[in-house]
Each structure stands twice: as C-alpha cells, then as structure tokens.
Amino acid sequence: VLALGFGLLPRRACSAWMSSDASSTIVDPEPACPPPLWAARLVATARARAGRTVYPPSDDTFLLLEVLAEDAVHLSALAPQLCLEVGCGTGTLLAGLLLVLGGLHAQDGNNNDGSSLAAMPMVVAVDKNPDAVACTRALLEEQGASNVHAIQSSLTSGLRLEGRVDIGLCNPPYVPTDDPEEMQGCGIEVSWAGGDRGREVIDQLLPCIAGVIAPGGYFYLVCMAENKPDEIMAAVRGHGLFAEVARREQRGIEELFILRFHRNCK
C-alpha cells in the first residue's frame, strides 16, 4: 500500500480521521472481517510495528491474503525466483505470500514461526514512505526471510526488473480525492489519495506491471468499485496481459475487488 495510513479505518474514512482533533481520544473501529487464521500472528506483529505513519493491515489486506492462499497451488508451481510488492506498507502481503509459498498457510497461524522462509525467493518491496520501507524490512527479516530488498521509490522506477517478476502485488491508494496536494510527498495522505476516480496512481502503475511481469507470472491488484475495475482490466489487456476478477466482496463501506493479471508463457 503506497505510503499507507492509520489504524484499521476503511481507506475512505482516513481523511476524516486525519482532520480530527489530535488531542482527542480516537478509537479505531475493527475491520469488517478478521484476517485469515493462518495470518493472524503475522497481522498482529505488523499492526504493532505500523504505528501512526504506516498503513496497517486491514480489510483490503485480508482479502488479498485470502486470494493468495486460494491460488497457492498455482503460485507454488511457478517456483518463483523474484516477488515484488509496489507500495509495501508494513510488508504484510509479501510476508503472507512467502507463508503461502512455503505451505505454512495450511497450518494453524499460531504455529507459523517463519522458519522455512529463508529458502524463499528474493523479495523486492517498494514504497514512497521511508517508515514503510523500514517496517517492511524489519517484518520480513523477523519472519525469517533472508533475501529482502526494501527500497524507497515510486512505483517501479529505477528497479531494472523488466520481465523478471514472477509474482507481483499492489494495494494502491484507490480512494477518489479532489485535493491534488494529498497526493504529493511521502506522507500519510498518499496512502489513500487516488485522485480522480481513485485511478491516478493505478493508471500510472498499469504499464509498469506489464513491463516487469515475467512469462508465466502473476500480478494482483486491489481496487474498489468506484475505480471501474472493468476499465482497469481492459487497459491491462491492452498491454498484452490476461486480466480477471479474482474476488469481489463488500467489506464494511467498501466494495473491494482483487484483480489478477497473468502473462502467458512464451
């Protein structure tokens, strides 16, 4: 999640959260659904690390974790060498993906100590927020991942990953916003501020996805109904990728979509 936000508020509520009196006591609402059982310990660890400057795992995170677990057989069959998350936030999605690849999602979440993650693929995590980069690096290393590259950057610029990413993830800022200043800088506001139709960051990302995905590779994108998922998928198909809805579900006040993109083997 690119430089993402606070507590466990739905994304579109974050702006109101930010504008409230900082001296008052704020009680964050719980997510509409709990995290997958296998990821419960990971989510708790990530939440504790997030603080007030990094978007903690919430409903959109949980939904993508569920889809990754459902796709475990296909993803493991790739024998991925490189996995990428654009907008990594706490690193929960990348760490969850490694648990899935290691088969640990099939165990009780309380027993997932990450001991088998050392043999997992190289992971690259990118975020505009330096606190998110530090949080992701610490979480992945704490979970036992050994080949971690957490980088402060925007989208995939300067990464030189063309055609190399076997599995990619992104939970972008997708909330429609009117104030262009919310999308500037590296602060908390860019976690939710998606600009016109919530699509400005997403639309910049799509050609980047097409550029980095390896033959046979997959990329997962979170979005909401207001982002016009059908248009997003049409744009991705225009870049030569297969696109489909992996999951569509109402979570709290947001109708969330997980889009799955795939490049055929050549």
Side-chain angles (χ1 to χ4, degrees):
V1 206
L2 280 137
L4 296 175
F6 284 129
L8 289 172
L9 290 166
R11 297 268 190 112
R12 68 172 88 199
C14 287
S15 182
W17 202 101
M18 280 287 293
S19 63
S20 60
D21 182 355
S23 63
S24 63
T25 300
I26 300 173
V27 179
D28 295 350
E30 289 298 311
C33 298
L37 179 61
W38 60 267
R41 182 188 228 178
L42 171 65
V43 166
T45 301
R47 286 194 62 193
R49 286 191 173 279
R52 295 173 61 88
T53 60
V54 181
Y55 181 71
S58 191
D59 286 307
D60 43 11
T61 317
F62 305 161
L63 192 61
L64 181 46
L65 287 173
E66 292 170 14
V67 170
L68 293 175
E70 290 170 357
D71 287 357
V73 172
H74 297 296
L75 297 178
S76 297
L78 288 174
Q81 300 299 303
L82 194 154
C83 300
L84 167 71
E85 183 176 5
V86 179
C88 52
T90 59
T92 303
L93 287 173
L94 267 181
L97 173 62
L98 294 184
L99 291 176
V100 166
L101 293 174
L104 300 180
H105 68 290
Q107 303 176 15
D108 184 332
N110 293 324
N111 294 326
N112 289 346
D113 61 5
S115 59
S116 70
L117 298 191
M120 288 291 102
M122 178 171 74
V123 294
V124 178
V126 179
D127 205 296
K128 291 177 68 176
N129 182 350
D131 291 340
V133 171
C135 188
T136 291
R137 181 183 296 112
L139 180 71
L140 287 167
E141 291 178 351
E142 181 177 307
Q143 295 297 308
S146 61
N147 198 354
V148 177
H149 301 268
I151 302 163
Q152 184 182 1
S153 185
S154 178
L155 302 180
T156 61
S157 59
L159 296 183
R160 298 181 182 178
L161 295 179
E162 289 78 7
R164 296 181 56 198
V165 175
D166 298 301
I167 304 172
L169 313 169
C170 185
N171 186 3
Y174 51 67
V175 176
T177 53
D178 297 325
D179 185 355
E181 291 187 4
E182 285 190 298
M183 299 183 62
Q184 304 304 312
C186 303
I188 200 72
E189 295 87 352
V190 299
S191 64
W192 62 79
D196 182 38
R197 299 189 299 161
R199 284 275 296 276
E200 293 193 28
V201 174
I202 291 174
D203 288 346
Q204 293 175 44
L205 176 65
L206 299 184
C208 299
I209 294 173
V212 300
I213 291 298
Y218 288 88
F219 198 101
Y220 295 83
L221 180 74
V222 181
C223 65
M224 64 193 304
E226 288 89 337
N227 305 143
K228 305 294 184 184
D230 287 344
E231 293 183 6
I232 294 172
M233 290 189 291
V236 168
R237 292 175 187 131
H239 289 289
L241 302 180
F242 174 80
E244 64 181 345
V245 176
R247 183 81 75 85
R248 175 182 181 178
E249 193 165 313
Q250 189 76 31
R251 294 279 172 114
I253 63 174
E254 295 176 339
E255 184 181 5
L256 296 175
F257 287 72
I258 306 297
L259 305 183
R260 183 194 295 117
F261 310 141
H262 175 61
R263 185 186 297 283
N264 289 330
C265 294
K266 295 181 179 180

